[in-house]
Amino acid sequence: MLKYLLIGLLVWLLVIPALKRTFGKHPSPRRSTAEPPAPPTSSGDVQDMVQCAHCGVHLPEAEAHHDRAGRPYCSAEHARGGPRQG
Ligand SMILES: [Zn+2]
């Protein structure tokens, strides 16, 4: 008699998760419906960063001043000053 109770309990334990899976009430760990947040990088937004040859500060390539050798500087002043010595 106890054997049937145990079998019934086992069946119950197997059936409950199966029912939950069938009805899908628990959230799926994959979250396939949720889209990941799109990164704000569209083509053209990404700027190359350059380092001032004089003081070493980083700045966008578009804002950089270049000397005749093509070295980037953070300002015209530093471009005039040239690359840092030593
Ligand atoms: Zn500088």
Side-chain angles (χ1 to χ4, degrees):
M1 196 65 184
L2 187 67
K3 191 163 64 180
Y4 296 109
L5 273 174
L6 284 172
I7 288 170
L9 190 70
L10 268 174
V11 169
W12 183 249
L13 286 172
L14 288 171
V15 161
I16 292 297
L19 282 174
K20 281 185 179 174
R21 242 178 278 135
T22 303
F23 291 106
K25 283 186 177 176
H26 64 97
S28 161
R30 278 191 186 176
R31 281 196 287 171
S32 56
T33 52
E35 288 182 19
T41 53
S42 61
S43 59
D45 269 1
V46 181
Q47 291 181 323
D48 286 332
M49 298 297 282
V50 294
Q51 191 173 14
C52 176
H54 186 88
C55 67
V57 75
H58 287 84
L59 69 154
E61 171 102 62
E63 296 176 22
H65 298 252
H66 294 89
D67 66 3
R68 286 175 189 171
R71 284 182 288 255
Y73 295 90
C74 65
S75 62
E77 205 174 313
H78 283 183
R80 275 198 301 273
R84 193 175 188 170
Q85 301 298 324

